[in-house]
Amino acid sequence: MEERQKGWSDVYLTQSLHRAVQQTPDAVMTVYGDRRRTTTEVAERVARLAGALRGLGVGDGDRVAMLSLNSDRYHEYLLAVPWANAVVNPVNVRWSPAEIVYSLRDSQTTVLLVDDTFAAMLPALQQAYPELTTVIHTGEGPTPAGLLAYEDLIAEAAPIADARRGGAELAGVFYTGGTTGSPKGVMLSHTNLLTSALGAIASGHIFAAGARYLHAAPMFHLADLAGWAAASAVGGTHVIIPNFSPIGVMHAIQRYQVTDTLLVPVMIQMVIDHPELADYDLSSLRAVAYGASPIPQAVLERAMKAFPNASLTQLYGMTELSPIATVLSPAEHQQTHLLRSAGRAAPHSEIRIVDPDDNDVPCGEVGEIVVRGAHVMLGYWNKPAETAAAVRDGWMHTGDGGYLDKEGYLFVVDRIKDMIVTGGENVYSAEVENALAHHPTVAACAVIGVPDEEWGERVHAVIVLKPGEQATAEEIRTHVKTVIAGYKAPRSIEFVTELPVSGAGKILKRELRKTYWGTQDRHVH
């Protein structure tokens, strides 16, 4: 009883649903294809799904995973699990069975919701992880043998009262992409997630009251989950498409009169470069948030022209920050010298740039970006040493290199580990990638450091050319030298048909490095 009393003033993810039922009970809350559900309908289904989970043995704080493309049922899952006093564990849909098994075993998850797309993976998952004893089928097709039918559970279960799990209690375990070693489960509380969501709203640029928010980014990812929480907080409508495609995004915006969306840079580029862009009416779109990875300035400038009625807002952060740390406002996008900036600290965030000893570095000098606030994660699941290394004196050490200017604008120059030291000079790949992106034949690119006998490391570019275009390595090198210093230009270039990307749309540089560094423990010289 004492713990519950201390938690009475806590924020909680289901709070927005209670408020919506009270204020707009008949409003459409979710849109998925031709299926629309009102606030009242969603609330009833969430209460019943929570009851079903408890009936299946889900206890307080237990983890419940979901392996699925985007859907209105994903929205219900995100609400029903905390309603049942449990913890969400959204699974990365791009992972292999081995990676999925690792995350389930590591988090001791025994209940999984799965859709039609991923049901075929279950035999492999259950063979490798027999503890996965309860699987709920959320797809549209017939429920496979041995699985529980989602709609039957909701129809048969009695609704239960909301546990109102909130505050510092664990809301979810969100596994990182495993860029170094095994994936880490980032533990985020209700306070963490809602601090970032409310901070985004307080910035005043996105998620106005009544927003019609398009879920185009994967719902397992923190970038979209931040949008989900913010749209819910303002009483918005969730327009959901299964996964990203340029046509799917443009069609949804036109058909459902979408006002807000969040896209990672690679998605923006695919939309604005699509040959059928002009065939769609995107005039309802008023706010586009982007983040999750740097965006080349050339792409950003084209996006501002492609969405003339929409303002662009950049959100910089990471999973460990729930995920928002800084905001670059629409007005700041109109100032050319700020287009390469990630903006300034969000209303809920504090930022510093430090040296390896955690001392502040001078203005304009590159160091590690560290962040503090109520959005900083609780820690890494079952990894106390990694948690202690990442969060020191309340400051989350991001592993990103950047600098602040005199007005507090943050410029992210690279992941620190992606810095290339060639001939004693530091080269940040983001700067080289921006220069490459300005070349008219380049569709996408990634820059890495590779071993070089003479220079220690050399700058190496991996490039995807636009369809029908041709260019030589020397032509591109010559172009880059007109944009940045000659020593930063790639000394070697390879052309590929596609780049490896994660489920969140980030380029997987570790995959590109494998070709050159092999099994070496140290990937720098």
Side-chain angles (χ1 to χ4, degrees):
M1 184 65 177
E2 182 178 324
E3 289 186 4
R4 176 52 58 197
Q5 287 178 334
K6 287 192 294 186
W8 280 354
S9 62
D10 290 337
V11 294
Y12 44 100
L13 288 173
T14 57
Q15 200 167 28
S16 60
L17 181 56
H18 291 286
R19 187 173 61 253
V21 168
Q22 184 181 73
Q23 297 178 2
T24 55
D26 299 323
V28 173
M29 174 171 274
T30 60
V31 177
Y32 181 70
D34 293 328
R35 190 161 64 212
R36 290 168 168 77
R37 291 198 170 110
T38 67
T39 300
T40 299
E41 290 171 331
V42 170
E44 176 70 12
R45 290 170 59 83
V46 164
R48 288 181 177 276
L49 178 56
L53 292 173
R54 296 297 292 198
L56 291 169
V58 173
D60 297 351
D62 285 354
R63 277 68 62 203
V64 179
M66 186 157 188
L67 175 59
S68 169
L69 298 179
N70 297 351
S71 73
D72 49 357
R73 289 168 182 158
Y74 214 122
H75 170 77
E76 293 167 358
Y77 155 80
L78 292 172
L79 291 165
V81 172
W83 192 290
N85 203 21
V87 174
V88 299
N89 178 13
V91 179
N92 187 327
V93 300
R94 297 291 295 275
W95 274 0
S96 68
E99 291 169 312
I100 294 171
V101 166
Y102 174 89
S103 69
L104 297 177
R105 179 182 291 117
D106 183 61
S107 60
Q108 299 173 302
T109 299
T110 61
V111 179
L112 173 70
L113 284 71
V114 64
D115 69 357
D116 295 322
T117 303
F118 300 100
M121 295 178 68
L122 281 173
L125 299 181
Q126 291 179 311
Q127 181 177 2
Y129 182 55
E131 293 84 353
L132 184 60
T133 54
T134 304
V135 182
I136 300 169
H137 176 245
T138 64
E140 302 295 332
T143 298
L147 307 190
L148 301 170
Y150 183 90
E151 291 299 330
D152 289 350
L153 287 175
I154 289 178
E156 296 166 5
I160 63 171
D162 186 2
R164 288 182 167 82
R165 184 180 181 87
E169 292 179 295
L170 184 62
V173 182
F174 303 89
Y175 280 83
T176 62
T179 53
T180 57
S182 300
K184 298 189 291 289
V186 177
M187 298 187 293
L188 299 180
S189 69
H190 289 254
T191 294
N192 289 156
L193 292 168
L194 285 168
T195 295
S196 260
L198 296 175
I201 296 167
S203 71
H205 314 302
I206 46 179
F207 303 112
R212 297 178 69 84
Y213 174 69
L214 174 63
H215 293 266
M219 292 178 74
F220 76 80
H221 193 266
L222 252 293
D224 188 74
L225 194 137
W228 172 82
S232 297
V234 298
T237 299
H238 297 267
V239 177
I240 305 166
I241 57 177
N243 51 15
F244 170 83
S245 72
I247 290 292
V249 167
M250 295 185 291
H251 175 75
I253 293 171
Q254 177 176 280
R255 180 180 179 185
Y256 304 116
Q257 294 296 289
V258 167
T259 62
D260 295 63
T261 193
L262 183 146
L263 302 170
V264 297
V266 68
M267 295 176 181
I268 292 176
Q269 184 169 349
M270 291 175 70
V271 171
I272 63 178
D273 288 344
H274 198 277
E276 297 179 34
L277 176 67
D279 297 338
Y280 288 87
D281 178 7
L282 308 182
S283 60
S284 66
L285 193 62
R286 68 189 184 203
V288 177
Y290 69 92
S293 64
I295 188 168
Q297 185 171 329
V299 174
L300 185 58
E301 290 169 346
R302 295 205 308 278
M304 292 167 65
K305 295 177 182 177
F307 306 127
N309 295 336
S311 60
L312 281 97
T313 298
Q314 181 182 168
L315 304 173
Y316 161 76
M318 60 193 306
T319 300
E320 289 89 337
L321 296 173
S322 310
I324 299 168
T326 69
V327 178
L328 185 70
S329 73
E332 289 160 342
H333 277 75
Q334 303 302 318
Q335 302 179 53
T336 303
H337 71 287
L338 294 178
L339 284 178
R340 294 297 299 154
S341 169
R344 296 194 277 192
H348 60 279
S349 182
E350 184 182 357
I351 293 175
R352 294 165 55 218
I353 308 294
V354 301
D355 64 18
D357 296 319
D358 283 349
N359 298 311
D360 290 334
V361 303
C363 178
E365 185 173 312
V366 174
E368 183 174 11
I369 303 165
V370 297
V371 184
R372 186 182 176 107
H375 56 317
V376 172
M377 67 172 181
L378 299 176
Y380 295 117
W381 180 271
N382 283 338
K383 293 188 182 330
E386 288 88 342
T387 299
V391 184
R392 305 197 291 272
D393 295 326
W395 293 92
M396 177 66 209
H397 289 63
T398 67
D400 282 343
Y403 65 90
L404 292 169
D405 71 7
K406 292 184 294 184
E407 296 179 306
Y409 286 96
L410 175 67
F411 291 80
V412 182
V413 294
D414 215 338
R415 286 293 297 173
I416 288 176
K417 66 174 181 289
D418 287 347
M419 186 177 72
I420 304 162
V421 181
T422 178
E425 296 283 356
N426 292 347
V427 177
Y428 294 97
S429 63
E431 187 175 10
V432 185
E433 288 161 356
N434 185 53
L436 289 167
H438 278 83
H439 193 279
T441 68
V442 173
C445 64
V447 170
I448 57 174
V450 300
D452 187 280
E453 290 185 3
E454 181 178 3
W455 300 96
E457 292 177 332
R458 71 175 182 273
V459 181
H460 179 74
V462 185
I463 295 174
V464 177
L465 295 177
K466 293 178 180 177
E469 295 285 354
Q470 291 184 336
T472 67
E474 194 52 41
E475 287 171 352
I476 290 178
R477 276 176 48 81
T478 300
H479 160 76
V480 169
K481 290 180 180 180
T482 67
V483 181
I484 57 177
Y487 74 86
K488 298 180 181 179
R491 292 183 179 273
S492 55
I493 293 175
E494 65 177 303
F495 297 96
V496 297
T497 56
E498 62 180 4
L499 294 169
V501 296
S502 71
K506 293 185 181 181
I507 296 172
L508 295 173
K509 290 189 176 181
R510 68 176 184 273
E511 297 297 325
L512 299 175
R513 290 192 187 96
K514 285 180 181 178
T515 303
Y516 298 93
W517 294 95
T519 59
Q520 296 182 50
D521 291 333
R522 240 180 127 228
H523 287 188
V524 293
H525 281 166

